[in-house]
Amino acid sequence: MNFKLSENNPGIGYANRMSYLLLFFLLLLLGRQAAAQDEKKGLKDYYKEFFPIGVAVNARSLEGNEAELLLKEFNSITAENAMKMGPIHPKKDEYNWALADRIVSFAQRHHLKIRGHTLLWHKQTPDWIFEDDEGRPIGKQELLRRLKSHIFAVVGRYKGEIYAWDVVNEAIADDPNEFLRQSKWIEIAGEEILAKAFEYAHEADPDALLFYNDYNSVHPEKRERIYRLLKKLVDAGVPIHGVGLQAHWSISGPSVLELEQAIERYASLGLHIHFTELDISVHSGERRNKREGPAEAEAFTPFVEQKQIDQYEKVFSVFRKYKKYITSVTFWNLSDRYSWLNNYPVRGRKNYPLLFDRELKRKKAYWKVIDFAEQ
Ligand code: HAH
């Protein structure tokens, strides 16, 4: 062949070179644009086709760099403490609406979903609700009346704004030989009060999704007792729409099998499943370590870090697999810095349970959570 890039036809070679150059720059530009878009992406965007990604918040989370991180990564929030009975209704005739109101208006301003937490619980509940003005225990009817008025006030105030409520929290006993936890609620009013809480909440906001929420709910033994309670409520026609699985987990559990079996078991009742309080503690065997001092297990060693990465990768791949049933996943706080696990079960013992470190930077586990291809 006789190629002749000669003086008679210099234009073709020039045009070719120019179009290659143009193509090169175009691709470069597209690549940079894609990278810039990726940089803007947060957990909520990667999980857009799956479920909302939530986080527990307090006053601090609504300002400064915490608010910035929150808005980049999450599209749902839960008040960590502000809506619990103790903080929001400390005295019979006194409600503290300020912080809860701020959280709700922040969410509205930024188009975030809100999960409400919680209406009937044995902790962070003021003593006055169980006593008369002289400090003597009240009876069942009076307790029901007070619970109703509390639920009407709180659920009513945020009607149409809070789309899901943890109505009852942690009613199942820790002891496997018992069924319900012996709280003052149950002591005074019996099991019926649980159903009543759902009925009051439903009456106060008929559109809200109502949840029963508990911990260790993936553990096969406790799972069956929770299932028993849920089935009773569902069979009795109580307005309950979902189960909240707290997901306070650790680097040593649960297993994929336990998690899948729990999801299938609860889903068989036709309930929504929300993972409501996700964190993965780096201290395994929490209960045995109760006496461990703050100085111990301080380090986030590469070994522990890798175990946490693996655990996060596993649980999120199960979440994605079961997206048909799972309609929300919420982390219990934004970053390792202010996680409740820095003070529970051992006061002052550091923990590293979340996807953002103490400087609010993404940890390695983050990249596994958003990496769908490898799994
Ligand atoms: C959860 N309990 C509560 O639902 C939440 O409201 C709180 O902020 C943190 C954890 C978990 C729990 C507990 O309170 C006591 C023993 C075991 C687990």
Side-chain angles (χ1 to χ4, degrees):
M1 262 191 278
N2 193 5
F3 266 113
K4 219 168 150 205
L5 281 177
S6 66
E7 315 78 64
N8 346 353
N9 202 355
I12 292 169
Y14 177 74
N16 264 339
R17 273 198 301 276
M18 277 312 279
S19 43
Y20 279 129
L21 210 65
L22 219 74
L23 195 68
F24 172 77
F25 279 114
L26 201 72
L27 286 173
L28 196 76
L29 200 75
L30 282 173
R32 286 174 68 122
Q33 255 176 1
Q37 254 160 22
D38 259 9
E39 239 160 71
K40 276 198 207 128
K41 268 177 141 178
L43 290 169
K44 63 173 164 52
D45 306 301
Y46 293 106
Y47 277 87
K48 208 174 161 167
E49 306 304 325
F50 294 90
F51 31 72
I53 304 277
V55 64
V57 301
N58 40 52
R60 196 193 317 113
S61 335
L62 308 182
E63 281 163 9
N65 51 3
E66 292 209 18
E68 209 176 293
L69 177 68
L70 191 168
L71 294 174
K72 176 168 182 176
E73 304 282 352
F74 301 93
N75 50 7
S76 172
I77 58 173
T78 305
E80 183 170 12
N81 291 299
M83 296 181 192
K84 292 170 178 171
M85 195 181 276
I88 210 168
H89 195 177
K91 292 184 190 147
K92 200 171 176 182
D93 301 310
E94 191 182 310
Y95 280 93
N96 267 334
W97 298 116
L99 182 51
D101 282 358
R102 272 185 61 204
I103 290 172
V104 170
S105 68
F106 179 90
Q108 284 177 319
R109 218 165 38 248
H110 298 288
H111 311 290
L112 309 171
K113 293 170 98 72
I114 317 171
R115 296 193 81 262
H117 176 79
T118 181
L119 301 169
L120 190 160
W121 191 26
H122 64 288
K123 284 188 169 178
Q124 291 181 264
T125 296
D127 287 340
W128 70 258
I129 193 132
F130 304 114
E131 297 167 355
D132 67 14
D133 293 342
E134 276 76 50
R136 288 176 309 221
I138 56 166
K140 176 174 176 176
Q141 289 316 316
E142 176 61 9
L143 188 60
L144 288 176
R145 206 191 55 74
R146 289 180 184 194
L147 179 66
K148 181 174 183 177
S149 115
H150 173 79
I151 290 178
F152 268 54
V154 180
V155 175
R157 187 174 183 93
Y158 304 118
K159 184 172 188 271
E161 286 159 10
I162 293 186
Y163 84 104
W165 271 102
D166 291 332
V167 176
V168 174
N169 201 29
E170 306 176 350
I172 295 295
D174 288 321
D175 183 344
N177 300 311
E178 288 169 23
F179 180 48
L180 292 183
R181 179 190 301 281
Q182 280 312 300
S183 68
K184 281 197 180 164
W185 296 107
I186 299 297
E187 245 169 64
I188 297 174
E191 185 170 343
E192 190 194 345
I193 198 167
L194 305 179
K196 287 285 184 205
F198 284 95
E199 282 161 18
Y200 300 150
H202 187 59
E203 214 183 312
D205 184 355
D207 292 329
L209 296 175
L210 306 182
F211 284 72
Y212 172 77
N213 191 49
D214 212 333
Y215 61 88
N216 288 350
S217 36
V218 160
H219 185 274
E221 185 283 314
K222 191 165 172 189
R223 179 195 76 206
E224 285 311 300
R225 285 183 295 141
I226 295 173
Y227 177 89
R228 193 177 133 202
L229 173 63
L230 296 173
K231 180 144 181 27
K232 269 190 178 182
L233 294 169
V234 169
D235 288 349
V238 171
I240 176 171
H241 312 109
V243 57
L245 311 182
Q246 287 187 6
H248 293 298
W249 292 332
S250 91
I251 50 174
S252 53
S255 68
V256 165
L257 185 68
E258 279 175 340
L259 186 52
E260 295 198 341
Q261 286 177 340
I263 293 168
E264 284 174 15
R265 187 75 168 137
Y266 294 124
S268 75
L269 288 167
L271 296 171
H272 281 269
I273 294 175
H274 283 187
F275 286 92
T276 52
E277 304 183 18
L278 175 60
D279 43 30
I280 297 184
S281 168
V282 301
H283 306 296
S284 47
E286 292 285 15
R287 311 263 171 252
R288 266 172 283 125
N289 287 347
K290 269 209 172 176
R291 263 168 279 124
E292 199 173 70
E296 286 158 89
E298 284 265 303
F300 189 45
T301 62
F303 175 75
V304 155
E305 180 180 37
Q306 190 55 48
K307 287 193 79 165
Q308 188 186 50
I309 293 169
D310 296 344
Q311 186 68 353
Y312 262 118
E313 181 174 2
K314 272 194 286 188
V315 303
F316 270 90
S317 77
V318 174
F319 292 167
R320 292 196 299 276
K321 178 172 165 192
Y322 286 92
K323 69 167 184 178
K324 188 166 136 208
Y325 304 125
I326 299 170
T327 44
S328 167
V329 173
T330 292
F331 288 84
W332 210 238
N333 221 307
L334 274 164
S335 80
D336 288 347
R337 180 169 222 141
Y338 297 109
S339 159
W340 73 298
L341 293 174
N342 291 308
N343 285 306
Y344 183 89
V346 182
R347 183 154 286 278
R349 181 184 66 178
K350 283 208 183 96
N351 211 327
Y352 307 80
L354 296 162
L355 292 183
F356 302 93
D357 68 17
R358 284 175 165 69
E359 274 69 55
L360 306 184
K361 295 270 178 312
R362 290 164 170 173
K363 289 160 63 180
K364 284 188 200 150
Y366 180 98
W367 302 107
K368 285 294 177 188
V369 164
I370 60 155
D371 183 359
F372 303 172
E374 270 183 32
Q375 290 147 30

